[in-house]
Amino acid sequence: MADSKKQIYHERQKLQFCLLHSLNNLFQDKNAFTRKDLDDIAEKLVLEDPYKGNWARLSVIFKPHHNSLTGNYDINVLISAVEGKGKRVVWHDRRNKASSINLDESEGKLMGIVLNIPVKRYGGFWRSRHWVSLRRINGVWYNLDSDFESPYSFESTEELTDFLDGAIDGGTEVLLVKDDAD
């Protein structure tokens, strides 16, 4: 197991660039996306936004789709980035348990799972969300959380299902990344 973990690409957390790290971990490629790539996607979304006249003065820093200083990109950037790689995002209906997700679906159909987890830091004073990728590699599901020192392997799909059920119960959004051909 240790040897297979060495072959897994795992990018660590810096500032609030967890979406960048999550995407690179999901695609298993340190060059899948750069900060500039995600900034460009966010800017393109701004230009295409029909409501851009309604922004606040702080929009120079706290832009509609990301914070220009720290990152912290939103779901729109994730969807655009994934679609640009020929994949699509399917939002899991949180009213359903994780057992409704076909975790044994071929890797050609279900590339991975992206979680958007609510987090509280500094005694609950700071509330935010954190992007995490889960990916099956060589038949084993891994939690590639950029806050972890190394990837965490799930022992079974049942363990992953239990993990996802707990995450859903805690307010986590579950996004399935699939091939566009489905």
Side-chain angles (χ1 to χ4, degrees):
M1 184 65 67
D3 288 338
S4 65
K5 278 190 181 181
K6 288 179 184 174
Q7 298 171 356
I8 296 170
Y9 180 72
H10 181 249
E11 201 166 283
R12 295 293 317 279
Q13 183 72 27
K14 293 179 187 162
L15 297 173
Q16 289 182 318
F17 290 106
C18 55
L19 181 60
L20 172 64
H21 308 312
S22 180
L23 286 168
N24 287 343
N25 289 339
L26 177 70
F27 283 91
Q28 286 294 284
D29 180 358
K30 70 177 181 176
N31 298 312
F33 294 96
T34 64
R35 180 178 176 182
K36 182 179 180 340
D37 293 334
L38 297 186
D39 286 348
D40 289 347
I41 290 169
E43 291 300 320
K44 183 177 182 224
L45 290 168
V46 167
L47 294 173
E48 295 171 353
D49 188 346
Y51 302 105
K52 61 184 167 193
N54 298 336
W55 300 338
R57 291 175 196 232
L58 288 177
S59 293
V60 172
I61 295 173
F62 302 104
K63 297 189 177 199
H65 302 289
H66 77 292
N67 179 311
S68 61
L69 297 177
T70 63
N72 205 17
Y73 301 94
D74 74 6
I75 183 67
N76 300 296
V77 175
L78 167 74
I79 291 170
S80 292
V82 167
E83 287 177 352
K85 295 281 188 186
K87 305 293 181 190
R88 66 186 171 99
V89 175
V90 177
W91 215 298
H92 175 70
D93 185 344
R94 52 182 301 107
R95 296 172 294 182
N96 298 321
K97 293 285 189 185
S99 60
S100 67
I101 302 169
N102 184 359
L103 297 170
D104 294 320
E105 191 170 28
S106 73
E107 290 183 47
K109 291 190 176 196
L110 176 62
M111 178 189 190
I113 300 170
V114 177
L115 307 176
N116 191 239
I117 303 170
V119 287
K120 295 178 187 174
R121 295 197 172 134
Y122 310 113
F125 176 73
W126 178 264
R127 292 173 189 230
S128 175
R129 299 199 63 95
H130 180 62
W131 295 103
V132 172
S133 287
L134 308 177
R135 171 98 191 243
R136 186 174 50 218
I137 302 168
N138 298 323
V140 176
W141 278 99
Y142 289 90
N143 183 334
L144 302 168
D145 189 337
S146 59
D147 279 342
F148 290 177
E149 287 288 324
S150 64
Y152 171 82
S153 61
F154 292 96
E155 295 296 320
S156 64
T157 54
E158 291 80 20
E159 182 185 1
L160 174 57
T161 300
D162 290 343
F163 169 78
L164 289 170
D165 281 337
I168 291 167
D169 290 344
T172 294
E173 297 295 337
V174 177
L175 305 149
L176 310 176
V177 179
K178 298 184 153 232
D179 273 347
D180 199 24
D182 287 349

